[in-house]
Amino acid sequence: FSTGRLPTHSGMKGAIVAAMGKHKGLVSGKVAAFILTYLGHASVHAGRKAFAACHSELEQNWNFSNAFLGILDTSFMISYGIGLVANGYLAERVDTVTHMAVGVLASSLCLVILGMSSNIGVPNNAYPWYLGLTILWALFQSASIPCGVKIMSGWFNESRGSIFGLWATNGVVGNLIGLGICSILSATAGSHALEYMLLVPGAFMAIVGLLQLMFLNEGPFSPKKLNESSAPPSIMKVLALPGVLSYAAAYACVKTVDTSIFFWIVFYINEGLHYSETNAALMAMSYDVAQVFGSLAAGYISDRVGSRPPVFTLSLIGASFCSVAIITVSHWVFLVPVIFLIGLMTGGPCMLMHTAVAADVGSKKGNRAATAAIVGIVDGSGSAAASAGQIVVGFVSASYSWSSVFLMLSSLLALASTLTAYIWTTERRVKRQSRILASIKEEESEVDHPFLAEEVDA
């Protein structure tokens, strides 16, 4: 007789098929989320790197002065930092996928218009036009990273260090794509090289933005899917969350060092150590390659350890010592390994602080509606500090020496390690207090139910 409690063979088969279909859908959703958010931020970086790579073309063909190019770069960095905070705030209040895709598409439009400016009759001395377009471009593309991290945290609830360690390499890959596009077009496009160097990355961004609109969705761990109805917190409440201010300050130090090495290491090797520009560029590539390995290693190790601050602290201490050691070497046999070690040890903190850490803090109960805002604050702090840091590096290198520059960078890394060490000790203290409270509650429970405790002992 059938009691209705045991499923029939066909019922069991249907349940298994449904479970397999659900698992397959989850896997395909994770793959789509990873690839499309990865390509979104990589395309943004490709456009940014292409614009930086064509500075000499802008100077020769459009008669942009070095001073005006410097104004454009500074305006971009400041606007990008402001946009990170603003877009992080907005991403918690609108559809995140649409917000990210529209940001990528609008960024594409700005780059295409910039590339077409001379062809549509905009004079080369229309400085307000180019300045305004650059500011809009920065504001739109700054939506990519906070939205991307929020979408990723909605799909990936475990092993975030390893996942984000790989995902955060999108910037480096985007830079390589941008450089590759410019190298090919510079050699093949002839007199129209400048326009195509801006139009092709713009088209790449447009394609990615459209793909995001069509195929990207929020994950099962997003506040919307979990039916968390709490209103997104204000900026002041996000700043008050444990670890946000400390991580923002630490990331500001690390990002300043990273940006300084990114922009100045080739110049230092060429001018300070008297290597050719080609050899200087080749040696400097070791820094970018090392950062990828550093990000992957730090993400994996921090997942295994179960905590990110100790990994960051030890990495930053090592990077601080290497930043001093670089002053003492000049032969490429020793110089390249030191540059590689600096990239390896800064890669993890630089790529994970504003991604995996923000996702970790945002994933805690009651904080899910703050993930994008946390990313915006941490990353925005880094961008603001980095833009100001480049002015300081230029002044110190010209007025004092390159030794003073690297001592300054070493001090910033030491300060960052102190901040992450503080986060580490705070984290350990909170965990210890939680264990003590749990043991007290357990003892109180045994006192309230002595017969139950005796039965358990028996």
Side-chain angles (χ1 to χ4, degrees):
F1 298 95
S2 174
T3 63
R5 294 180 182 178
L6 296 176
T8 62
H9 175 72
S10 59
M12 290 179 65
K13 183 178 180 181
I16 292 171
V17 170
M20 288 178 65
K22 185 177 180 181
H23 176 72
K24 186 177 180 181
L26 182 63
V27 172
S28 62
K30 286 183 174 182
V31 171
F34 187 97
I35 292 175
L36 291 176
T37 54
Y38 188 98
L39 286 177
H41 202 56
S43 68
V44 163
H45 267 270
R48 191 188 308 176
K49 192 65 177 179
F51 180 74
C54 69
H55 272 26
S56 60
E57 298 281 345
L58 290 168
E59 186 179 6
Q60 293 171 13
N61 298 336
W62 289 7
N63 299 319
F64 282 9
S65 65
N66 284 337
F68 182 61
L69 288 170
I71 291 171
L72 290 180
D73 290 341
T74 303
S75 300
F76 178 92
M77 290 293 293
I78 294 172
S79 302
Y80 185 75
I82 294 171
L84 284 167
V85 178
N87 280 302
Y89 180 83
L90 289 173
E92 305 293 358
R93 289 158 175 80
V94 298
D95 183 78
T96 312
V97 172
T98 304
H99 188 187
M100 182 178 189
V102 169
V104 173
L105 288 169
S107 180
S108 164
L109 182 62
C110 288
L111 195 58
V112 169
I113 293 174
L114 180 62
M116 293 293 293
S117 291
S118 62
N119 295 325
I120 60 177
V122 178
N124 295 337
N125 60 355
Y127 298 132
W129 165 266
Y130 295 107
L131 180 61
L133 205 55
T134 301
I135 291 172
L136 283 175
W137 181 37
L139 292 173
F140 283 128
Q141 70 172 256
S142 62
S144 176
I145 191 71
C147 293
V149 173
K150 184 183 178 185
I151 293 168
M152 283 287 293
S153 65
W155 282 102
F156 297 93
N157 201 35
E158 296 178 351
S159 300
R160 282 206 173 107
S162 300
I163 296 296
F164 277 104
L166 178 60
W167 186 84
T169 62
N170 50 36
V172 176
V173 171
N175 290 337
L176 293 174
I177 292 172
L179 280 175
I181 290 172
C182 289
S183 299
I184 294 170
L185 292 174
S186 179
T188 60
S191 60
H192 296 288
L194 175 57
E195 287 83 359
Y196 286 123
M197 286 165 72
L198 298 175
L199 293 176
V200 173
F204 177 36
M205 277 189 275
I207 293 170
V208 173
L210 290 173
L211 290 173
Q212 288 176 339
L213 280 177
M214 290 188 290
F215 301 110
L216 189 57
N217 295 293
E218 291 195 45
F221 304 111
S222 64
K224 184 188 296 184
K225 296 296 177 68
L226 293 173
N227 296 319
E228 293 184 357
S229 57
S230 58
S234 65
I235 292 294
M236 296 307 296
K237 288 184 178 180
V238 175
L239 289 171
L241 291 174
V244 171
L245 279 176
S246 299
Y247 270 121
Y251 186 69
C253 296
V254 177
K255 187 65 176 179
T256 300
V257 174
D258 174 62
T259 307
S260 300
I261 293 175
F262 180 80
F263 281 116
W264 292 95
I265 191 66
V266 174
F267 185 82
Y268 164 70
I269 297 172
N270 174 235
E271 296 289 330
L273 301 180
H274 309 295
Y275 286 91
S276 67
E277 287 188 10
T278 302
N279 288 334
L282 288 172
M283 284 188 271
M285 284 179 63
S286 62
Y287 178 80
D288 296 316
V289 174
Q291 280 210 311
V292 173
F293 289 109
S295 177
L296 296 172
Y300 175 78
I301 294 170
S302 62
D303 277 344
R304 300 287 292 180
V305 173
S307 178
R308 311 208 195 284
V311 179
F312 293 163
T313 301
L314 296 175
S315 297
L316 291 168
I317 291 172
S320 178
F321 281 112
C322 288
S323 297
V324 175
I326 198 173
I327 303 170
T328 65
V329 296
S330 58
H331 196 282
W332 70 268
V333 172
F334 304 104
L335 183 63
V336 172
V338 172
I339 294 173
F340 184 89
L341 285 173
I342 295 174
L344 185 70
M345 294 179 184
T346 58
C350 188
M351 294 188 182
L352 292 176
M353 277 188 187
H354 68 301
T355 55
V357 167
D360 290 341
V361 177
S363 66
K364 294 178 181 177
K365 187 176 180 181
N367 293 355
R368 290 186 186 275
T371 302
I374 295 168
V375 177
I377 290 170
V378 174
D379 207 354
S381 301
S383 296
S387 61
Q390 304 323 296
I391 300 173
V392 177
V393 169
F395 172 77
V396 172
S397 63
S399 303
Y400 297 94
S401 65
W402 281 106
S403 296
S404 301
V405 171
F406 285 108
L407 286 172
M408 179 186 74
L409 299 182
S410 176
S411 300
L412 287 173
L413 291 170
L415 177 58
S417 68
T418 304
L419 290 166
T420 55
Y422 167 75
I423 298 169
W424 183 13
T425 55
T426 303
E427 186 181 88
R428 291 183 64 189
R429 184 170 64 251
V430 170
K431 287 181 179 180
R432 185 166 60 251
Q433 290 173 347
S434 298
R435 286 195 297 269
I436 293 172
L437 289 173
S439 64
I440 291 173
K441 287 182 180 179
E442 187 178 346
E443 290 175 1
E444 290 176 349
S445 177
E446 291 179 358
V447 171
D448 292 338
H449 305 283
F451 297 106
L452 179 62
E454 289 176 4
E455 289 179 6
V456 170
D457 291 339

